[in-house]
Amino acid sequence: MNTKFMNIALKLAAKGVGSVEPNPAVGCVIVKGGKIIGRGYHKKFGQPHAEINALADCRKKGNNPAGADMYVTLEPCCHFGKTPPCTKAVIESGVKKVFIAMTDPSCHCDGRGVEQLKAAGIDVTIGICEKEARLLNAPFIKYAQTGKPWVIAKWAQSIDGKLAFSDPAADGQWISNEQSRKDAHKLRCRVQAILVGIDTVIADDPLLTPRPSMSKKPIRIVLDSQLRIPTYCQLLKTAKKYPLLIFTDEGAVNADLKKANLITKVGAEIITVNLDENKRCDLAAVLDELTKRNIQQLLVEGGAKVIASFLQQGIVDELCVYIAPKILGSKGGVTISDSLSSLKNELSLTNIAITPFGEDVRIIALLKPLF
């Protein structure tokens, strides 16, 4: 019975993914007499948490939570942030027992919420469906424990591994279907930064914004070691509206100060980093800068060489690959396997989830075991 109600809370929590970040996705159900009398989840960043919404649902339905059991996927917060502490509301509600999937690893909580509940005489049980709860909020947990971003590598491909048509003007811009692209925009809403290499900017002239935006404005990042970014591209045209970081070499900036000044004038920010042996921006330095900026989740969208570099250095946590039922053959452009052939070691995937989007298939997997 405990697992049944916690699984319901986890399904509620998942509804918040894409809207609550960088907060965790949390769900809550309140049970009395074996029946659910209130449900809630954290719907949007800055809005009431799951426990508050579940208690409000109780009262809206005319149910009294006093003496009830509460199932919540993450330890209730015990601090004042954008919202008041949930522990206070839980204690005042008269709830008798609280079942928690996992404790909150954040420095402002980390077991103190549980202590407050126990001090108030509430019976607390921890660890029901903990694995599922940790998987749901893996990026939040990594950031809380290390301060480093959760890195997602994403691409769309044909069955024969092609990432694009060799002639997009004649054959089409997209390999994946509309449903897959819509899902990819949800992924953009989940992250705080989206990264591409300069070749992708030159070839595709992307905007790199989630659509619809859901009020989210992830930082757009370009790795551009030689400062080749076209001054007419969409990224620079929209830099005052949507944040844009360009990582490059100090020598490239000094070689074309006029262009560098133009870039900063339109609202973009230039960050100089060291180059690696391949004359590309040093990825460790890039991630260090993003860590300073409190980026919890980074989406790496391309191109193939950039994705391969992240994988080669072992800094990817999650893969998201859309596979379209097409074999492009000679009509295909870049092949992902060509770039991935540079990998020196085999990469084993875990926690694999396969989801159809029309005729397309999405594969999500982790590269590092969570447990």
Side-chain angles (χ1 to χ4, degrees):
M1 187 65 72
N2 292 347
T3 300
K4 169 188 171 183
F5 292 127
M6 190 62 79
N7 277 321
I8 293 172
L10 285 164
K11 289 180 180 179
L12 285 170
K15 292 182 177 182
V17 173
S19 299
V20 301
E21 291 82 4
N23 279 356
V26 183
C28 177
V29 296
I30 300 172
V31 179
K32 200 171 188 179
K35 295 181 179 181
I36 295 177
I37 62 170
R39 305 168 187 251
Y41 67 97
H42 186 25
K43 295 182 178 181
K44 190 175 181 180
F45 179 74
Q47 292 187 1
H49 292 180
E51 302 92 323
I52 304 304
N53 287 332
L55 289 169
D57 186 48
C58 268
R59 296 174 181 122
K60 181 180 178 181
K61 294 175 178 176
N63 298 322
N64 184 356
D69 298 340
M70 174 179 283
Y71 292 79
V72 61
T73 59
L74 185 70
E75 176 184 8
C77 66
C78 56
H79 67 289
F80 280 91
K82 289 186 175 294
T83 60
C86 290
T87 50
K88 184 175 185 293
V90 173
I91 292 168
E92 291 176 350
S93 73
V95 165
K96 185 179 179 181
K97 295 182 180 180
V98 176
F99 297 89
I100 300 170
M102 62 169 288
T103 56
D104 184 341
S106 303
C107 60
H108 53 249
C109 196
D110 197 19
R112 287 187 284 276
V114 170
E115 292 174 2
Q116 288 186 11
L117 296 178
K118 288 182 176 180
I122 295 175
D123 186 2
V124 179
T125 299
I126 305 169
I128 301 172
C129 299
E130 180 179 3
K131 180 178 179 180
E132 293 81 358
R134 291 179 64 85
L135 185 61
L136 178 66
N137 283 311
F140 171 78
I141 295 169
K142 179 185 177 181
Y143 183 76
Q145 293 177 337
T146 68
K148 297 180 179 180
W150 178 268
V151 179
I152 307 163
K154 168 255 175 184
W155 69 86
Q157 67 171 70
S158 61
I159 288 177
D160 53 343
K162 305 293 185 179
L163 300 185
F165 290 101
S166 56
D167 186 359
D171 299 314
Q173 185 179 4
W174 308 107
I175 286 180
S176 58
N177 64 22
E178 185 177 352
Q179 291 169 271
S180 293
R181 297 196 299 272
K182 185 177 179 180
D183 184 69
H185 278 286
K186 289 182 179 179
L187 180 57
R188 285 182 175 182
C189 281
R190 174 182 139 190
V191 304
Q192 291 76 56
I194 301 168
L195 181 149
V196 295
I198 186 58
D199 289 340
T200 295
V201 176
I202 293 172
D204 300 338
D205 192 19
L207 190 57
L208 299 182
T209 58
R211 298 184 289 277
S213 69
M214 303 287 288
S215 301
K216 297 293 187 73
K217 291 186 178 182
I219 296 172
R220 302 170 302 167
I221 299 169
V222 180
L223 303 184
D224 183 10
S225 59
Q226 300 305 313
L227 206 61
R228 294 188 292 139
I229 188 167
T231 56
Y232 53 82
C233 71
Q234 291 194 87
L235 291 173
L236 288 179
K237 287 180 180 179
T238 57
K240 289 186 178 179
K241 186 176 181 181
Y242 303 104
L244 175 63
L245 301 183
I246 299 173
F247 285 88
T248 190
D249 175 52
E250 185 176 1
V253 173
N254 293 333
D256 197 343
L257 287 174
K258 182 178 178 180
K259 184 176 184 179
N261 289 333
L262 186 151
I263 289 170
T264 55
K265 186 176 180 180
V266 299
E269 182 178 354
I270 293 176
I271 301 173
T272 58
V273 292
N274 293 331
L275 304 184
D276 62 20
E277 65 275 9
N278 297 311
K279 303 299 182 181
R280 298 172 184 164
C281 295
D282 181 73
L283 296 185
V286 171
L287 287 182
D288 284 345
E289 181 64 30
L290 298 185
T291 297
K292 295 175 186 176
R293 293 169 183 260
N294 300 317
I295 299 299
Q296 185 196 94
Q297 296 191 60
L298 169 66
L299 177 60
V300 180
E301 289 205 357
K305 291 180 180 178
V306 170
I307 289 171
S309 294
F310 271 85
L311 289 168
Q312 180 69 60
Q313 295 187 33
I315 50 181
V316 174
D317 298 287
E318 179 181 344
L319 286 183
C320 179
V321 182
Y322 298 90
I323 303 176
K326 301 172 182 177
I327 298 176
L328 300 187
S330 62
K331 284 197 171 185
V334 177
T335 303
I336 186 66
S337 59
D338 290 343
S339 295
L340 297 184
S341 63
S342 64
L343 298 179
K344 297 177 181 178
N345 299 307
E346 174 187 346
L347 300 178
S348 298
L349 307 181
T350 66
N351 298 97
I352 299 167
I354 301 174
T355 307
F357 285 92
E359 294 180 339
D360 288 2
V361 172
R362 183 193 70 187
I363 299 176
I364 290 179
L366 303 186
L367 279 88
K368 302 170 185 176
L370 292 179
F371 310 100

